Amino acid sequence: MRLLFLGPPGAGKGTQAKMIAEEFGLLHIAPGDIFRQEVKAGTELGHLVEGIMAEGRLVPDDITIQIIEKRLNSPEARNGFVLDGFPRNLAQAQALKDMLERKGERLDLVIDLVVPEEELLKRSMSRRVCAKCGKPYNLNLDPPEVEGRCDVCGGELIVRDDDKEDTIKERFRVYHEETEPLREYYAKCGILVSVDGCGDIDSVCDKIKMCLLDKGLIREAKDR
Ligand code: AP5
């Protein structure tokens, strides 16, 4: 299965992509996670992307495309993959099409998570991450046992740099301008499905699995 999750910041792409990847043995590829790891490790790439991400802008296409192509060509991607946050503009979508074509592959399904903007803002503003081990929390959904401290390592829980209100609004603006046109692009390719991303995490995941079932990508009895 070769899947792609589309949707605005806070729609639940990361949450759902990880669950689907784990359940069906697919490689989860999320450029946002890759960039955050580089920032944490203090690499050259990390220094380059840190400011861009904190401002809510997109990392340049050439850098992002190169990173994704490397992941897609890795042995772990052989059983299939779930893309989460790539592509984010038409140039990246064309690059993805070209790189898959070179391997004789194509996307099976693009899942567009639809959530109203006020709910998106609420979700992103209640997210916290552990400064030490990176474990994510959401103060509304899964708060830590001790306020401000990670349940796993005791590290301090902080707000992601790009989850500050002004940056979230800039990420929405970039989404509407650059990423939203991909809905039409993939609809024209005939592989877009829109899924209501509201409701609890498991119920959204069930709706996604129903789409996979409808498209014949999973078999109910064996895979669900
Ligand atoms: P990235 O990490 O991809 O951020 P994003 O797309 O803005 O996504 P988010 O992580 O905010 O939201 P999500 O939809 O994944 O939702 P999540 O599951 O986390 O990108 C960050 C930055 O990296 C970009 O701004 C850019 O600078 C750079 N970048 C990344 N990709 C790039 C690319 N292709 N090109 C160039 N630059 C790129 O959930 C959000 C919150 O909501 C969580 O707290 C979660 O617990 C909660 N939640 C999830 N589901 C539910 C639910 N059903 N009900 C209630 N709460 C929920």
Side-chain angles (χ1 to χ4, degrees), residues 19 63 83 90 102 125 127 129 139 142 144 159 168 173 199 213 219 224:
M19 289 167 79
I63 297 176
L83 281 166
L90 288 164
R102 284 195 285 277
M125 290 185 71
R127 173 166 42 201
V129 287
L139 300 183
D142 55 352
V159 175
I168 297 174
R173 191 194 63 74
L213 193 64
R219 278 162 294 160
R224 292 188 80 223

Side-chain angles (χ1 to χ4, degrees), residues 10-15 36 57 59 85 88 92 127 138 171 199:
K13 302 181 296 295
T15 304
R36 276 185 290 278
R57 291 182 289 122
V59 171
R88 270 180 136 96
Q92 293 184 8
R127 173 166 42 201
N138 188 290
R171 285 161 65 205

Side-chain angles (χ1 to χ4, degrees), residues 42 48 56 64 82 116 126 128 131 143 158 177 184 201 212 217 219:
L48 189 78
T64 310
V82 186
S126 51
R128 298 290 182 274
I158 55 166
E177 200 173 300
E184 194 185 332
I201 288 173
L212 300 180
L217 293 168
R219 278 162 294 160

Side-chain angles (χ1 to χ4, degrees), residues 8-15 31-33 35-36 52-53 56-59 64 84-88 92 119 123-124 127 137-138 141 160 162 171 197 199-201 204:
K13 302 181 296 295
T15 304
D33 289 351
F35 293 143
R36 276 185 290 278
I52 298 175
M53 291 174 79
R57 291 182 289 122
L58 293 185
V59 171
T64 310
D84 153 18
F86 181 91
R88 270 180 136 96
Q92 293 184 8
E119 166 73 8
R123 286 185 187 181
S124 296
R127 173 166 42 201
Y137 292 83
N138 188 290
L141 285 182
R160 222 169 83 174
D162 59 351
R171 285 161 65 205
D200 63 63
I201 288 173
V204 175

Side-chain angles (χ1 to χ4, degrees), residues 92-104:
Q92 293 184 8
Q94 185 58 49
L96 175 63
K97 186 169 182 279
D98 293 345
M99 59 179 99
L100 291 177
E101 267 173 18
R102 284 195 285 277
K103 285 151 52 83

